[in-house]
């Protein structure tokens, strides 16, 4: 079964208009300027009369390595670069597809500036005119259902690259089809022997491939022969294209050329996928060039191409005569990666005081004897001494590290040196007194076991050790650790070292550096607009509140979490928890700054099963209004003794709104918004009431801090307003919606013109 696939739009961001693209995160394609049509190679605009801007074949714009592609509408009205009667410009689509693929950087957002927008996304989430990916995505496909006008398209790309290896366009396969020998390198599939079907050399007009499929006089529209003329296996790269020249003849309205011919592609043993957009000459001689983008799903795969040709029954009118020449496949292939080479990364002989002094001592105990010096006997070597003072033999009194300069490792790293020692006892053996350790700059020491020692003053024995792979491609320091065990002679350290060397392979692709946030405060500090890959460590972090809701028909989730250092919101991350749960462990995600709100977003590497989740009870922190700053965003707080007020305010667009504020005795204000739609938290009903205590999550909305309640406040009537009048206790009672209720109703009640809270 043949599945039809539209061509994809591909983008690779390396260099943009002479600028280093690794620093460029946004690329904008503009269609609403006076000469925008020129980008597509068109000669003018289309309007009610002119058709110069009509798009009847795939058209692309390329900015650096980012490409925008639009396909024809395939309907009665052409997609076009359009100028309306008011002089407005834009790309007007009546169908077809627009595509985005990034071969070098993940796409984080696509924004359409459109006056009419009737597109749907094949994958990812399209909200209004803004598209966001589902995890890491390098491809986006948009299909137009009806008239749409686009002014510009802005593509935002993630930092870093999927594969920064430079590439170059290469001819991957070429055949002229001018001899029977090269035609015979292709094969036929699906041939129906009862009908006439040929794939042969037509040696007129300088030679070309001739594909014939005749009928036998049966029903005109019935397809009797379907044959594929199949290429050898071809290995593709990226940004692949295919081109050929062709012409045809003998088709009818009932059986047009588009029905009888197609170019298809498949992986070896896979299903055929047709690539639309073939152009044909209309007589025996005229060869017309077809150039097509190969769908990105076939990038870097072994494929075969097939020319599909069919007949429609009648011998002459509905047969296929198809002539083809100069078939060629191009693609970008990665430049050869450098072979890893074993290099000497560091070498020191320890034969002079000057090179010994390039190392430093750490942890030295000045009350004990401790030396790192040159021993110039036996041709010079490093001497590490740690003496005791006659105290208990097994007690370690001196622990010193003799520390190297910073050394940049590669991969498959090794360290070697020669050493000997003396003056150790059974109670304090050499293995206890000496060690070689490694650390990243500023990190913790990690000992590398396996040191070999000579057993007298002179004998130097070679130690060769493999450095743990966790230190690959990192900047590190080595430390010779030496100690004493108390007794001046028997349990001291005499350690002689020479010829210290570090080797490793370089030129291999560096391992990606993992950014780890040790707590929520550190995670929040790493948040950026487009998100940054960060591993977040959670230590006794508490789930403060879970808000699940539906927006525009889609389920949304906000989980507010706090540890000892701060709070963060997990937004649509798929974290399955309940209020009060305690979280411990590490999880990978995206650190996002959404207009000041710090968010944890899920990525393809997010796995919450790594967390340990235990039951707990969410606790709120008591705060005063002046203590509510942006550091409190996403925190659960309690505020005491405030009053609710309302105020008419005009926003930046000139619209007037009623806004609500909590006000304390010193007239400090905090915005109030019933974001979670909690019962009995309607702001209008609370206006004028004294609030003894209110609990909620602090959020940030357009730069304004606000409290969003998670439960009904504790309130009292304003006692300053109580008059010495007789109250009718039998008067009817109403809720804030004006519905009559009885004394059993819980919440805000209005009676005798007064509001009070009934628990």
């Amino acid at each position: 079964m043949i599945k039809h696939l539209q061509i994809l739009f591909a983008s690779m961001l390396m260099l943009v208009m002479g600028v280093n693209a690794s620093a460029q995160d946004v690329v904008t394609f503009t269609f609403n300027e006076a000469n925008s049509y020129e980008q597509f190679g068109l000669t003018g605009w289309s309007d009610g009369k002119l058709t110069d801007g009509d798009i009847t074949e795939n058209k692309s714009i390329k900015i650096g390595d980012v490409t925008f592609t639009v396909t024809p509408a395939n309907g009665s009205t052409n997609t076009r670069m359009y100028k309306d009667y008011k002089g407005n410009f834009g790309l007007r689509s009546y169908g077809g597809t627009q595509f985005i693929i990034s071969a070098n950087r993940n796409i984080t957002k696509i924004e359409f500036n459109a006056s009419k927008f009737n597109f749907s996304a094949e994958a990812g989430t399209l909200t209004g005119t803004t598209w966001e990916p589902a995890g890491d995505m390098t491809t986006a496909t948009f299909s137009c259902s009806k008239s749409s006008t686009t002014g510009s398209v802005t593509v935002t790309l993630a930092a870093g690259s999927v594969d920064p290896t430079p590439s170059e366009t290469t001819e991957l396969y070429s055949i002229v089809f001018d001899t029977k020998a090269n035609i015979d390198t292709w094969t036929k599939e699906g041939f129906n022997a009862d009908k006439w079907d040929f794939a042969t050399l037509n040696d007129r007009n300088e030679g070309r491939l001739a594909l014939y499929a005749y009928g036998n006089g049966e029903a005109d529209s019935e397809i009797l022969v379907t044959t594929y003329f199949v290429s050898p296996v071809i290995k593709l790269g990226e940004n692949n294209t295919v081109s050929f020249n062709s012409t045809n003849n003998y088709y009818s309205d009932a059986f047009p050329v588009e029905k009888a011919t197609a170019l298809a592609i498949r992986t070896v043993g896979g299903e055929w996928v047709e690539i639309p957009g073939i152009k044909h000459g209309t007589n025996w001689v005229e060869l017309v060039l077809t150039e097509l983008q190969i769908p990105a799903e076939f990038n870097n795969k072994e494929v075969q191409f097939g020319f599909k040709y069919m007949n429609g029954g009648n011998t002459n009118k509905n047969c296929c005569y198809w002539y083809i020449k100069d078939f060629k496949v191009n693609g970008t292939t990665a430049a050869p990666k450098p072979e890893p080479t074993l290099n000497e990364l560091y070498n020191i002989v320890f034969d002079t005081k000057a090179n010994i002094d390039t190392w430093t001592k750490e942890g030295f105990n000045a009350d004990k004897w401790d030396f790192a010096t040159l021993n110039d006997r036996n041709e010079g070597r490093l001497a590490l001494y740690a003496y005791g003072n006659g105290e208990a033999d097994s007690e370690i009194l001196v622990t010193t590290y003799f520390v190297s300069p910073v050394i940049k490792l590669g991969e498959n790293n090794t360290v070697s040196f020669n050493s000997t020692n003396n003056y150790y006892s059974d109670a304090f053996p050499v293995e206890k007194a000496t060690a070689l350790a490694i650390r990243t700059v500023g990190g913790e020491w990690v000992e590398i076991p396996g040191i070999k020692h000579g057993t007298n003053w002179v004998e130097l024995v070679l130690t060769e050790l493999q450095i743990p792979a966790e230190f690959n491609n990192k900047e590190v320091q080595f430390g010779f650790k030496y100690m004493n065990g108390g007794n001046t002679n028997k349990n001291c350290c005499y350690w002689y070292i020479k010829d210290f060397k570090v080797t490793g392979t370089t030129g291999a692709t560096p391992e990606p550096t993992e950014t780890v946030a040790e707590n929520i405060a550190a995670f929040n500090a790493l948040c950026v607009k487009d998100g940054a890959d960060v591993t977040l460590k959670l230590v006794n972090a508490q789930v403060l509140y879970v808000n699940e809701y539906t927006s525009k028909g889609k389920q949304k989730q906000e989980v507010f979490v706090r540890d000892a250092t701060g709070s963060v919101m997990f937004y649509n991350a798929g974290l399955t928890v309940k209020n009060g749960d305690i979280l411990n462990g590490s999880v990978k995600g995206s650190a996002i700054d959404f207009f000041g709100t710090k968010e944890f977003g899920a990525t393809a590497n997010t796995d919450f099963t790594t967390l340990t989740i235990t039951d707990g009870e969410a606790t709120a922190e008591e705060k005063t209004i002046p203590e509510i700053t942006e550091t409190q965003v996403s925190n659960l707080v309690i505020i005491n003794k405030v009053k609710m007020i309302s105020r008419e305010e005009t926003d930046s667009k000139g619209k007037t709104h009623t806004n609500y504020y909590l006000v304390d005795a010193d007239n400090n204000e905090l915005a109030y918004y019933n974001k979670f739609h909690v019962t009995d938290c309607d702001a209008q009903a609370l206006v004028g009431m004294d609030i003894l205590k209110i609990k909620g999550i602090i959020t940030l909305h357009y730069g304004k801090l606000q409290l969003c309640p998670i439960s009904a406040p504790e309130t009292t009537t304003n006692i300053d307003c109580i008059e010495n009048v007789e109250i009718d206790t039998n008067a009817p009672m109403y809720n804030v919606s004006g519905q009559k209720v009885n004394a059993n109703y819980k919440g805000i009640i209005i009676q005798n013109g007064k509001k009070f809270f009934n628990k």
Side-chain angles (χ1 to χ4, degrees):
M1 175 180 177
I2 300 173
K3 54 182 181 180
H4 295 271
L5 184 72
Q6 293 170 307
I7 306 169
L8 298 174
F9 155 89
S11 67
M12 293 176 57
L13 189 60
M14 293 289 288
L15 296 174
V16 178
M17 300 181 72
V19 181
N20 188 337
S22 63
Q24 181 166 338
D25 296 326
V26 177
V27 174
T28 299
F29 298 93
T30 303
F31 311 113
N32 55 8
E33 296 180 350
N35 59 347
S36 292
Y37 60 85
E38 294 177 352
Q39 302 171 97
F40 288 121
L42 301 171
T43 58
W45 296 97
S46 291
D47 54 21
K49 298 179 180 179
L50 300 176
T51 60
D52 294 344
D54 281 17
I55 294 174
T56 57
E57 59 185 351
N58 294 343
K59 290 288 187 180
S60 298
I61 302 171
K62 192 171 185 181
I63 302 176
D65 286 335
V66 181
T67 307
F68 175 92
T69 298
V70 58
T71 71
N74 295 324
S76 59
T77 305
N78 290 329
T79 291
R80 60 192 63 175
M81 291 296 287
Y82 187 72
K83 178 182 178 181
D84 67 17
Y85 70 96
K86 294 182 179 179
N88 298 315
F89 306 108
L91 171 59
R92 179 167 290 187
S93 300
Y94 295 91
T97 310
Q98 297 172 6
F99 307 95
I100 300 170
I101 299 172
S102 173
N104 197 51
R105 302 173 77 182
N106 288 322
I107 303 169
T108 61
K109 186 187 294 183
I110 299 172
E111 297 169 286
F112 293 84
N113 172 23
S115 57
K116 293 181 181 179
F117 190 75
N118 294 291
F119 281 87
S120 59
E122 184 177 287
T125 301
L126 184 61
T127 305
T129 57
T130 300
W131 177 88
E132 293 181 341
D136 289 342
M137 290 182 64
T138 58
T139 301
T141 304
F142 303 95
S143 297
C144 180
S145 59
K146 59 182 180 180
S147 176
S148 300
T149 303
T150 305
S152 63
V153 178
T154 299
V155 182
T156 303
L157 300 139
S161 63
V162 177
D163 183 3
T165 306
S167 58
E168 54 186 20
T169 301
T170 304
E171 184 176 280
L172 306 177
Y173 179 82
S174 180
I175 188 170
V176 179
F177 289 133
D178 58 349
T179 68
K180 186 176 185 304
N182 61 37
I183 288 175
D184 288 346
T185 62
W186 289 47
T187 56
K188 286 201 297 182
E189 291 183 7
F191 171 55
N192 186 335
D194 295 335
K195 308 297 176 286
W196 293 6
D197 170 22
F198 301 96
T200 187
L201 173 67
N202 179 289
D203 54 12
R204 291 180 294 180
N205 304 305
E206 300 179 358
R208 51 193 174 181
L209 170 67
L211 301 178
Y212 303 135
Y214 295 96
N216 63 354
E218 299 182 23
D220 283 352
S221 62
E222 182 183 354
I223 295 174
L224 302 174
V225 175
T226 299
T227 304
Y228 286 92
F229 192 53
V230 182
S231 75
V233 174
I234 301 168
K235 177 65 183 293
L236 297 184
E238 297 184 354
N239 293 324
N240 304 285
T241 60
V242 58
S243 64
F244 57 92
N245 292 280
S246 72
T247 188
N248 61 78
N249 212 332
Y250 285 122
Y251 296 97
S252 68
D253 292 339
F255 194 67
V257 63
E258 292 79 11
K259 184 175 182 180
T261 61
L263 176 66
I265 185 175
R266 69 181 179 190
T267 55
V268 179
E271 294 185 358
W272 288 113
V273 176
E274 292 188 10
I275 309 175
I278 292 177
K279 300 177 185 178
H280 292 277
T282 55
N283 57 55
W284 297 107
V285 180
E286 178 192 14
L287 291 170
V288 174
L289 177 64
T290 291
E291 293 180 297
L292 301 174
Q293 187 79 27
I294 298 172
E297 66 179 275
F298 296 99
N299 283 359
N300 302 303
K301 295 181 180 177
E302 291 188 336
V303 303
Q304 290 175 292
F305 292 89
F307 285 108
K308 185 178 81 168
Y309 55 108
M310 302 171 286
N311 76 48
N314 185 277
T315 304
N316 286 321
K317 293 298 183 184
N318 294 333
C319 60
C320 170
Y321 280 50
W322 193 7
Y323 298 97
I324 301 167
K325 195 168 183 178
D326 303 320
F327 181 87
K328 186 180 297 183
V329 180
N330 290 330
T332 57
T333 56
K337 295 184 178 180
E339 289 293 328
T341 56
L342 182 64
N343 290 320
E344 185 176 277
L345 306 177
Y346 180 81
N347 188 2
I348 188 170
V349 180
F350 289 133
D351 58 349
T352 68
K353 186 176 185 303
N355 61 36
I356 288 175
D357 288 346
T358 62
W359 289 46
T360 56
K361 286 200 298 181
E362 291 182 7
F364 171 54
N365 186 335
D367 295 334
K368 308 296 178 287
W369 293 6
D370 171 21
F371 301 96
T373 187
L374 172 68
N375 180 291
D376 54 12
R377 293 180 292 180
N378 304 304
E379 299 180 357
R381 51 193 174 182
L382 170 66
L384 301 177
Y385 303 135
Y387 295 95
N389 61 356
E391 298 181 23
D393 283 351
S394 62
E395 182 183 352
I396 296 174
L397 301 174
V398 175
T399 300
T400 304
Y401 287 91
F402 193 53
V403 183
S404 75
V406 174
I407 301 167
K408 177 64 184 293
L409 297 183
E411 297 184 352
N412 300 316
N413 304 286
T414 61
V415 57
S416 64
F417 57 92
N418 292 281
S419 72
T420 188
N421 59 79
N422 212 333
Y423 286 123
Y424 296 97
S425 67
D426 292 339
F428 194 67
V430 64
E431 292 79 9
K432 184 174 183 179
T434 60
L436 176 66
I438 186 175
R439 69 182 179 191
T440 54
V441 179
E444 298 290 328
W445 287 113
V446 176
E447 292 188 9
I448 308 174
I451 293 177
K452 299 176 183 178
H453 291 278
T455 55
N456 57 53
W457 297 107
V458 180
E459 179 191 13
L460 291 169
V461 174
L462 177 64
T463 291
E464 293 180 299
L465 302 174
Q466 189 75 31
I467 299 171
E470 65 185 276
F471 296 100
N472 283 0
N473 302 302
K474 295 181 180 178
E475 292 188 335
V476 303
Q477 291 175 290
F478 293 89
F480 286 109
K481 184 175 81 169
Y482 56 108
M483 301 171 286
N484 76 47
N487 183 278
T488 303
N489 286 321
K490 293 298 183 185
N491 294 333
C492 60
C493 171
Y494 280 54
W495 195 6
Y496 298 98
I497 301 167
K498 195 168 183 178
D499 302 321
F500 181 86
K501 186 182 296 183
V502 179
T503 61
T505 57
T506 57
T509 303
E511 293 181 356
T513 302
E514 181 180 16
T515 302
V516 178
E518 297 293 334
N519 49 51
I520 288 177
F523 179 88
N524 289 345
L526 295 169
C527 288
V528 294
K529 177 184 176 182
D530 295 325
D533 290 336
V534 177
T535 297
L536 171 60
K537 288 186 178 181
L538 296 171
V539 179
N540 294 326
Q542 186 173 62
V543 177
L544 303 174
Y545 190 69
V546 178
N547 178 39
E548 295 180 336
Y549 60 100
T550 301
S551 175
K552 297 181 179 179
K554 296 184 179 181
Q555 283 297 117
K556 305 286 186 179
Q557 183 198 54
E558 298 170 332
V559 180
F560 300 91
V561 177
R562 180 184 67 215
D563 68 5
T565 67
S567 305
V568 69
M569 179 175 70
F570 286 69
Y571 179 70
N572 276 353
L575 177 58
T576 304
V577 289
K578 62 183 182 299
N579 294 349
D581 280 350
I582 306 298
L583 312 179
N584 283 281
S586 297
V587 61
K588 295 180 179 180
S590 182
I592 304 167
D593 187 326
F594 185 75
F595 297 100
T597 298
K598 313 303 182 185
E599 297 180 357
F600 180 104
T603 69
N605 296 318
T606 301
D607 181 7
F608 290 118
T609 63
T610 61
L611 297 180
T612 300
I613 304 175
T614 55
D615 292 337
E617 184 175 349
T619 58
E621 295 180 340
E622 288 199 5
K623 300 288 181 181
T624 63
I625 290 179
E627 291 175 330
I628 302 301
T629 64
E630 289 194 10
T631 61
Q632 297 299 316
V633 172
S634 298
N635 192 15
L636 178 62
V637 303
I638 290 175
I639 298 178
N640 298 316
K641 297 181 179 179
V642 292
K643 179 179 287 189
M644 182 73 72
I645 67 168
S646 64
R647 187 162 59 235
E648 296 294 316
E649 295 178 329
T650 302
D651 64 19
S652 60
K653 297 181 180 179
K655 295 183 179 180
T656 301
H657 305 274
T658 301
N659 295 324
Y660 299 89
Y661 296 89
L662 301 172
V663 183
D664 65 13
D666 296 322
N667 289 321
N668 296 302
E669 296 182 357
L670 176 64
Y672 175 92
Y673 176 53
N674 189 14
K675 171 183 172 70
F676 307 127
H677 305 289
V678 178
T679 304
D680 299 323
C681 288
D682 179 71
Q684 185 176 3
L686 292 170
V687 170
M689 297 187 71
D690 288 337
I691 298 173
L692 297 176
K693 181 184 294 187
I694 188 166
K695 182 193 299 185
I697 297 291
I698 300 298
T699 65
L700 190 65
H701 183 66
Y702 289 105
K704 181 184 289 187
L705 292 163
Q706 56 188 14
L707 183 138
C708 302
I710 66 168
S711 59
E714 295 182 21
T715 63
T716 180
T717 54
N718 190 338
I719 60 174
D720 294 333
C721 297
I722 294 180
E723 301 177 10
N724 187 17
V725 296
E726 183 176 340
I727 300 298
D728 183 3
T729 58
N730 294 318
M733 294 181 288
Y734 302 90
N735 62 19
V736 294
S737 299
Q739 299 168 321
K740 194 171 182 179
V741 297
N742 58 32
N744 294 324
Y745 181 82
K746 305 299 182 184
I748 298 173
I749 292 177
I750 302 171
Q751 187 182 39
N752 293 309
K754 302 290 184 181
K755 288 184 282 189
F756 64 93
F757 193 83
N758 195 30
K759 294 184 178 180

